[in-house]
Amino acid sequence: MASVAASPVNVPPRRRLLNRTMASYGFGAVAYGVKDSGFGTFLLLFYNQVVGLPSATVGLVVMLALLADAMIDPAVGFFSDRTRSRWGRRHPWMYASALPIAIGWIALWNPPALSEPMTLFWLFVCAVITRSAVSCYEVPSVALTPELTADYDERTRIMAYRYLFGWAGGLSMLVSAYLYFLAPANGGLLSRSGYGAFGITGAVLMVIAILVSALGTHHEIGNLPKPAIIRGTLRDSFNELRETLKNRAFAILMLAGVCAYTVQGISYAMSNYLYTYVWGIKGNTFAYVTVALFVGVIGAFVAAPRIGAHGNKARWAMLAVLLAAALNTAPYWLRLVGGFAAVGSPAMLPALLGCFILGTACSVTGFILGASMMADVVEDSEVRTGRRSEGVFFAGSFFVQKCTSGIGIFIAGAILAFAGFPAKAVPGQVPEATIDRLTIIYAGTWVTIACFAAFFFFRFPFGRAEHEARLAALAGAASVDAAPRKF
């Protein structure tokens, strides 16, 4: 069977990254943030309310595109692990992804005039192209995390930076959409030309982020692990991949992530419907919501590394997910019983934004801790198999994140259909009973899935002590292999 030989160079040093390295590496996450906010927040709205396709059908098509990711993501991770070039294992993929991402993203928001079936096909193809190209960047990029340092706490800090920049990129596009591209003066949320300009601007920003990150970490190529590969047959390669993915900790973390990110995906896809039709938000007020979300992200950026440095990351992630569910759905439950500020009252917006700030801080804290735990799984697998498979594991992690715009949009479309929400609805004219059904199904779905996420985080099998023991074992094995031998 093909395998990677364990050697001293395969264990990265415990170190704190230079600020410029951390900043450039984290800035690359802007590309995924732009893609994620566009997919999650506007894609369903655009193809349903602007293009005029049924919401459930749009959700299904995006969900089907996710099936392609299930094959593409692990393939990118696997071949990234096995890439050998003068630019290392990861950087060739990062550089090569920039142009395809831009092309796919622009096409997605500028569909030509086609029949309904052909428009759905256009959506499917553009979604696959865009997300496949994003995979070719994000999987190798995030796989650098366990290669840059073996320090348990520094990995949490790295992920905090990536999430900060990722959310900053996504929320910047949201603000620009609400204040410019889709502002009331330019046609509002139903402006088709506004979405076209939104796509072009996002494509430019993603290309800049990718190139800045790749160039800013290029100097680290010589310091990264360079595991040797013993060549084998294609069957050996598939056996190796299957053995790697059988890791129990990886499976549990994947299940927790699927649930946590699906909740976020539902929230993204439903956000404009809820803000507009439930809370009566319009115009520049959308910008306040976006700012509130980013305040929550900053809170998570500050809190997650400090929380992760004390106790078990998995337990903190479980608590964060449960608190996020409680805080983010509280306004909807309270509204149903008349316990929340009335729509249009001066107290409504501050109360709503307060819940969103705290809920977002908890959600993103859970994501950061979960992502840093995936880096710890790499050494667990190396002890068990003798191979470093960062690309494969983070491909799984990235696939989980893409469930945000796959499963989440699919469920959001189903929620709208079950609630009987009309296409091209006019704010203020949707029946109250429909709004109530929508909020009950939405909040109930959020809480249910979040509880599953918390359960899986609780089942994660190791923490700091086990991580330190594995590093010591790997260092000891490397020393034995490197020691001179007498014959």
Side-chain angles (χ1 to χ4, degrees):
M1 180 183 296
S3 63
V4 176
S7 66
V9 77
N10 291 343
V11 182
R14 298 170 183 264
R15 60 168 178 156
R16 189 177 179 88
L17 299 186
L18 296 174
N19 288 335
R20 64 186 177 89
T21 302
M22 182 73 82
S24 59
Y25 180 51
F27 187 71
V30 165
Y32 181 73
V34 171
K35 172 263 169 191
D36 202 39
S37 67
F39 255 87
T41 306
F42 293 116
L43 192 65
L44 177 60
L45 182 73
F46 174 63
Y47 276 92
N48 172 221
Q49 298 289 325
V50 179
V51 178
L53 301 177
S55 61
T57 307
V58 173
L60 177 61
V61 169
V62 175
M63 178 67 178
L64 291 175
L66 186 66
L67 298 179
D69 293 334
M71 297 178 286
I72 291 168
D73 288 356
V76 170
F78 181 76
F79 289 112
S80 171
D81 285 337
R82 301 174 74 85
T83 296
R84 295 297 179 271
S85 74
R86 61 189 180 91
W87 286 355
R89 295 194 287 172
R90 315 301 180 189
H91 283 74
W93 292 82
M94 295 163 67
Y95 285 119
S97 66
L99 184 59
I101 286 175
I103 294 172
W105 190 248
I106 291 172
L108 184 67
W109 299 102
N110 292 273
L114 300 169
S115 64
E116 180 174 311
M118 290 305 298
T119 303
L120 289 169
F121 182 71
W122 179 276
L123 168 62
F124 175 81
V125 171
C126 290
V128 170
I129 291 173
T130 301
R131 294 204 298 204
S132 298
V134 170
S135 294
C136 290
Y137 166 71
E138 186 69 13
V139 170
S141 175
V142 77
L144 287 173
T145 297
E147 297 182 324
L148 290 168
T149 179
D151 186 88
Y152 188 75
D153 296 321
E154 183 69 355
R155 288 174 172 178
T156 306
R157 195 170 79 96
I158 289 173
M159 284 301 173
Y161 270 88
R162 288 190 67 87
Y163 274 82
L164 177 68
F165 279 108
W167 276 78
L171 294 178
S172 294
M173 288 303 299
L174 288 184
V175 170
S176 65
Y178 291 136
L179 296 184
Y180 180 69
F181 299 115
L182 305 176
N186 294 326
L189 292 176
L190 302 183
S191 170
R192 185 160 187 151
S193 61
Y195 285 102
F198 171 83
I200 294 171
T201 304
V204 171
L205 183 55
M206 286 192 284
V207 169
I208 292 173
I210 289 169
L211 295 180
V212 166
S213 183
L215 291 169
T217 55
H218 198 96
H219 67 280
E220 291 284 353
I221 291 173
N223 301 323
L224 302 177
K226 304 175 183 65
I229 290 182
I230 301 174
R231 300 296 176 183
T233 65
L234 181 61
R235 180 178 181 181
D236 290 335
S237 297
F238 279 112
N239 287 338
E240 176 185 321
L241 179 62
R242 184 170 59 251
E243 181 184 0
T244 299
L245 294 177
K246 286 171 64 176
N247 185 284
R248 177 172 175 264
F250 171 71
I252 291 173
L253 201 55
M254 282 277 287
L255 290 170
V258 165
C259 295
Y261 278 103
T262 294
V263 164
Q264 178 178 278
I266 296 170
S267 175
Y268 270 8
M270 294 292 299
S271 60
N272 282 316
Y273 291 90
L274 297 171
Y275 298 157
T276 302
Y277 299 103
V278 177
W279 302 114
I281 293 174
K282 55 187 176 181
N284 293 342
T285 308
F286 279 107
Y288 293 118
V289 177
T290 305
V291 171
L293 295 178
F294 192 60
V295 170
V297 173
I298 293 174
F301 172 75
V302 173
R306 289 165 173 78
I307 291 173
H310 298 86
N312 187 297
K313 290 181 186 179
R315 298 296 184 269
W316 284 116
M318 175 189 72
L319 179 61
V321 166
L322 292 175
L323 285 174
L327 289 163
N328 281 302
T329 62
Y332 300 97
W333 299 123
L334 291 172
R335 173 192 166 275
L336 289 168
V337 298
F340 201 76
V343 174
S345 68
M348 188 211 76
L349 188 61
L352 190 65
L353 297 186
C355 290
F356 287 169
I357 288 172
L358 295 175
T360 300
C362 291
S363 291
V364 178
T365 294
F367 295 148
I368 291 171
L369 294 173
S372 68
M373 288 153 59
M374 186 62 74
D376 304 330
V377 171
V378 170
E379 280 86 18
D380 179 64
S381 176
E382 186 175 6
V383 168
R384 297 172 185 274
T385 68
R387 295 184 297 272
R388 287 190 69 88
S389 304
E390 298 94 336
V392 170
F393 286 122
F394 279 97
S397 177
F398 185 54
F399 173 72
V400 163
Q401 291 185 45
K402 285 201 221 175
C403 291
T404 294
S405 55
I407 300 175
I409 290 177
F410 172 71
I411 294 177
I415 289 173
L416 291 167
F418 283 129
F421 199 85
K424 297 189 176 182
V426 178
Q429 297 184 20
V430 179
E432 190 71 16
T434 301
I435 296 296
D436 289 345
R437 282 197 303 273
L438 182 69
T439 55
I440 291 171
I441 299 171
Y442 167 74
T445 302
W446 181 307
V447 171
T448 301
I449 299 176
C451 286
F452 279 107
F455 170 78
F456 289 121
F457 275 128
F458 179 77
R459 299 290 297 172
F460 190 72
F462 55 76
R464 181 189 300 273
E466 293 82 0
H467 171 76
E468 298 295 339
R470 278 192 297 275
L471 289 183
L474 289 171
S479 298
V480 170
D481 288 344
R485 304 189 182 190
K486 296 181 180 180
F487 297 93

